[in-house]
Amino acid sequence: QTAHGGYGPGGGLQVIDQPGTEPQVVLLHGFPDDSGIYDRLIPHLAPHRAIAFDITFDGRLSAGRK
């Protein structure tokens, strides 16, 4: 599992990517959660690729996920 992130003028983006096979599973959460709600789910999605996004609009990524 890898994590990638960055900041832009309007906020930040972090991507959690678990490698695997097609079809991939994209995980999107709602406010006020972050991708941490999928930490226990992602291992169970193997062997499929799982991608979870954290998008912020104030320039801060989720606490503890840098």
Side-chain angles (χ1 to χ4, degrees):
Q1 183 175 353
T2 59
H4 307 279
Y7 296 99
L13 172 69
Q14 179 169 302
V15 179
I16 307 298
D17 189 353
Q18 172 182 282
T21 61
E22 299 277 336
Q24 62 269 9
V25 178
V26 176
L27 304 166
L28 300 172
H29 62 81
F31 179 79
D33 292 318
D34 64 25
S35 65
I37 64 171
Y38 299 117
D39 287 349
R40 292 177 37 194
L41 174 65
I42 288 175
H44 295 285
L45 297 174
H48 299 289
R49 181 180 181 190
I51 306 165
F53 292 95
D54 279 328
I55 301 170
T56 61
F57 297 104
D58 61 359
R60 294 177 291 159
L61 292 177
S62 300
R65 298 216 168 236
K66 296 183 180 177

